Amino acid sequence: MDQTVPLAPMKMRGKGVSVFYGEKQALHGVDLDVPERQVTALIGPSGCGKSTFLRCLNRMNDTVEGARVEGDITLDGEDIYAPELDVVELRARVGMVFQKPNPFPKSIFDNVAYGPRIHGLARGKAELEEIVASSLKRAGLFEEVKDRLHDAGTGLSGGQQQRLCIARAIAVSPEVILMDEPCSALDPIATATVEALIDELKQNYTIVIVTHSMQQAARVSQQTAMFHLGRIVEVGPTEKMFQNPDDKRTRDYVTGRFG
Ligand SMILES: Nc1ncnc2c1ncn2[C@@H]1O[C@H](COP(=O)(O)OP(=O)(O)OP(=O)(O)O)[C@@H](O)[C@H]1O
């Protein structure tokens, strides 16, 4: 089976990835390559391990008590589980946007400035302001908030909050952005705005998105991986996965017949 989308270099590679939560094995030897500057969608029925795999890509499972990860995952060929690797640095390179918008209880400005401040990315006030403005612009939010940057981030609408969280992720110049059902708490209009943004962001970032919406996977991704019971049953170019999948489980799932 062809596991890759042709011509794109691989930004991240997972090989034989298994994850255990205590005694329970949630992933069984998953292989998945993530092409650079493309959107990879992870799909599959609830509990099949999509979020678990996503969290392996920036070692968020390290924060889950009792979780153990086996196998190899590389970023630009570097082992992200190497003992000497700085996890804080890794999470700046591989950022994350969660299901529920989770702005800090701080101003819009401070939400975006948070990462650059802790990573020492700005040499002064003007540079920090520039990073905040450009991150908000790239997240498609600047025009809506430019006159109230010092208001609370939590006062924004759900869709605006999610774009604020995307701006916060972008502000530390990540290379990869992981998104765990980023639109599940949003209405259709805010969803369309975030999807358009994802499409634009792929020019500069590699994106991996977990989604339950088949329409969303089809609209935003170039590569799709179908998970089932902790394994990948099929991975390929999104168009093929939706129009002519090899595996019956993929076919049933993308057409809504999965029982
Ligand atoms: N912190 C945890 N402790 C114990 N088991 C967990 C934990 N997180 C996930 N699991 C289990 O691991 C399996 C995979 O879960 P995961 O959340 O990765 O699936 P998913 O495909 O993302 O599901 P969903 O689509 O419902 O979000 C499930 O059986 C789940 O119950």
Side-chain angles (χ1 to χ4, degrees), residues 20-39:
F20 302 82
Y21 295 110
E23 295 292 295
K24 184 186 156 53
Q25 186 164 2
L27 285 183
H28 301 259
V30 167
D31 295 339
L32 182 65
D33 290 344
V34 175
E36 187 166 43
R37 291 176 206 230
Q38 292 196 6
V39 180

Side-chain angles (χ1 to χ4, degrees), residues 36-153:
E36 187 166 43
R37 291 176 206 230
Q38 292 196 6
V39 180
T40 294
L42 312 184
I43 63 168
S46 192
C48 63
K50 306 175 297 291
S51 299
T52 295
F53 183 78
L54 191 76
R55 289 196 301 263
C56 289
L57 298 176
N58 71 347
R59 292 186 53 174
M60 285 298 278
N61 287 321
D62 289 14
T63 65
V64 178
E65 175 111 10
R68 194 172 91 244
V69 178
E70 290 177 0
D72 297 310
I73 301 181
T74 58
L75 171 63
D76 288 337
E78 246 183 275
D79 175 11
I80 65 166
Y81 283 84
E84 67 276 13
L85 183 116
D86 179 344
V87 180
V88 174
E89 189 66 28
L90 170 71
R91 297 203 188 118
R93 291 179 68 190
V94 184
M96 192 151 191
V97 175
F98 297 88
Q99 187 168 358
K100 205 166 155 274
N102 59 345
F104 303 135
K106 291 170 179 284
S107 69
I108 294 168
F109 184 94
D110 285 339
N111 262 278
V112 184
Y114 180 82
R117 277 186 180 129
I118 60 169
H119 290 287
L121 299 183
R123 268 163 308 185
K125 192 163 170 279
E127 204 171 327
L128 188 62
E129 285 172 356
E130 173 51 35
I131 293 174
V132 170
S134 70
S135 304
L136 286 167
K137 278 179 196 155
R138 277 185 284 164
L141 186 61
F142 186 70
E143 285 306 315
E144 288 159 66
V145 300
K146 64 182 180 200
D147 300 323
R148 47 176 170 144
L149 290 177
H150 297 286
D151 290 1

